[in-house]
Amino acid sequence: MKKQAGILAGLMTAAGIVTAAVYRYAFFFSKKQRANIGYPKEEQYESYRKLSEELIGKVREQPFEEAVIYSEDGLRLYGKYYHMADKAPVEILFHGYHGMAERDFCGGFWLAREAGHNVLLVDERAHGNSEGHVITFGIRERYDCLGWIRYAIERFGKDVQIVLVGVSMGAAAVLMASDLGLPENVKGIIADCGYSSPKAIIRKRIREIGFPARLVYPIARLGARMFGHFDLEESSPAAALRKCRVPVLLIHGEADQFVPCEMSWENYRACAAEKRIFTVPGAGHALCYMVDTEGYRKAVKEFLDQYVGEPRISHGSF
């Protein structure tokens, strides 16, 4: 009996260790890790390194004001506000998983400027200067979106027009926020290479590193619940979009190997609101702007011109 109890205790300990290890790998992001974020090393990005670094440098040269909010679970979240014009619409930009605001929006930042819009460039929880160590694949980040929306309304007035823009996990977060009762101030959502659900993208990643998703995903979900206190299946972009009432522009590279382009098509089919989709042949993950700058600019301009009622300003572009 004692032997059986010992074996059971050993198995439970081993299971706990495995669960904690999977959790730490997928969801925990330390200050040391975030400090080492740089330009992606994959070959597909190398052709665009010079232009990207030039654009990132230009963003960092722009004057800004620091912005701070607190999340519903008490984290200090940090952002940078770039002023373009009084009473202009505000674009709130959300970067990707293990991302960096200036890098992920080295193109999108300038499109906002071309539109004459003010910009809130935010560090998502567990990234940059924001607090936290747990990345929740949009589950909690969607509520942080609401926090930044409230900040914009309080700061710029009850009539301010707002556009939510996200890349990758940031795209998933803004799409998941769409069914949270967004105020009428939010005039549009632009989602670049977002996935259809946290479950789907994590299962895909598990298969890519050589493990059976049907066995490992439940461990990842359990770890998220035990150690991160969130449920990966609480929400998804596709589910949220079935209730969405805000116009949506979906953008995706057709050669995206990290988040398949089909996921944006799944989101498009699910979306109950007015919607558009723009895909770029040959573009990898988060590379649509680089591969087809003019096509990207045109898609965004037409969307903003239709749904955000503010005259454009010709200066401020790069």
Side-chain angles (χ1 to χ4, degrees):
M1 200 69 174
K2 288 184 178 179
K3 184 178 180 180
Q4 291 176 332
I7 292 172
L8 180 60
L11 290 173
M12 291 179 66
T13 299
I17 291 171
V18 171
T19 302
V22 171
Y23 161 78
R24 190 171 183 88
Y25 175 80
F27 309 114
F28 189 86
F29 201 42
S30 68
K31 287 187 177 181
K32 182 178 180 180
Q33 287 174 301
R34 70 176 80 174
N36 291 327
I37 295 175
Y39 191 76
K41 296 179 181 179
E42 288 83 0
E43 184 178 351
Q44 63 178 328
Y45 294 98
E46 198 57 37
S47 299
Y48 307 101
R49 175 185 290 274
K50 183 177 179 181
L51 176 58
S52 296
E53 291 180 345
E54 182 180 0
L55 291 172
I56 292 167
K58 289 292 183 181
V59 173
R60 289 175 172 164
E61 290 174 0
Q62 305 306 305
F64 66 87
E65 301 173 36
E66 293 186 336
V68 172
I69 66 169
Y70 286 86
S71 68
E72 292 187 352
D73 52 345
L75 297 178
R76 182 182 185 274
L77 304 178
Y78 177 85
K80 297 176 180 177
Y81 171 68
Y82 300 82
H83 186 74
M84 188 68 177
D86 292 343
K87 298 184 179 180
V90 176
E91 294 194 26
I92 311 178
L93 312 184
F94 298 87
H95 61 75
Y97 176 83
H98 288 191
M100 182 171 59
E102 292 90 348
R103 184 195 72 190
D104 291 3
F105 285 102
C106 65
F109 176 91
W110 297 106
L111 295 184
R113 301 277 284 191
E114 288 176 15
H117 294 175
N118 300 318
V119 174
L120 263 174
L121 193 60
V122 306
D123 289 344
E124 294 199 44
R125 59 172 57 220
H127 292 81
N129 291 319
S130 289
E131 292 182 342
H133 300 291
V134 182
I135 301 172
T136 74
F137 282 75
I139 298 298
R140 288 187 179 164
E141 289 84 356
R142 61 193 168 131
Y143 292 105
D144 299 339
C145 293
L146 282 184
W148 286 110
I149 291 168
R150 294 187 190 106
Y151 171 89
I153 294 172
E154 290 173 6
R155 177 166 179 175
F156 304 111
K158 60 183 178 67
D159 296 324
V160 65
Q161 297 184 89
I162 296 169
V163 181
L164 301 179
V165 187
V167 169
S168 193
M169 186 185 77
V174 297
L175 292 175
M176 280 192 268
S178 69
D179 72 344
L180 295 179
L182 298 179
E184 292 184 1
N185 304 74
V186 180
K187 301 302 181 182
I189 297 173
I190 300 174
D192 185 335
C193 62
Y195 42 81
S196 54
S197 74
K199 176 181 180 179
I201 196 62
I202 290 172
R203 284 175 60 90
K204 175 182 179 294
R205 180 57 182 157
I206 290 169
R207 290 191 295 269
E208 287 174 344
I209 59 179
F211 293 101
R214 66 184 181 86
L215 296 179
V216 178
Y217 172 75
I219 296 173
R221 186 183 180 193
L222 178 62
R225 296 181 73 169
M226 287 179 60
F227 303 112
H229 309 293
F230 69 96
D231 185 354
L232 284 166
E233 297 183 21
E234 182 180 316
S235 181
S236 73
L241 285 168
R242 294 186 184 101
K243 305 174 185 177
C244 182
R245 295 295 179 266
V246 178
V248 174
L249 170 62
L250 299 163
I251 299 171
H252 218 118
E254 295 178 12
D256 192 329
Q257 297 179 1
F258 185 71
V259 179
C261 186
E262 172 56 28
M263 288 193 174
S264 273
W265 279 108
E266 182 179 344
N267 289 334
Y268 179 83
R269 290 189 292 269
C271 185
E274 295 184 56
K275 57 194 177 183
R276 300 181 178 200
I277 189 166
F278 172 66
T279 65
V280 179
H285 188 61
L287 283 175
C288 289
Y289 178 87
M290 295 296 174
V291 174
D292 185 6
T293 301
E294 289 309 311
Y296 197 111
R297 176 181 281 117
K298 181 175 183 289
V300 171
K301 179 182 184 299
E302 290 178 351
F303 180 77
L304 295 176
D305 283 350
Q306 180 172 356
Y307 297 110
V308 186
E310 186 71 20
R312 290 181 160 261
I313 299 173
S314 60
H315 63 279
S317 63
F318 175 77

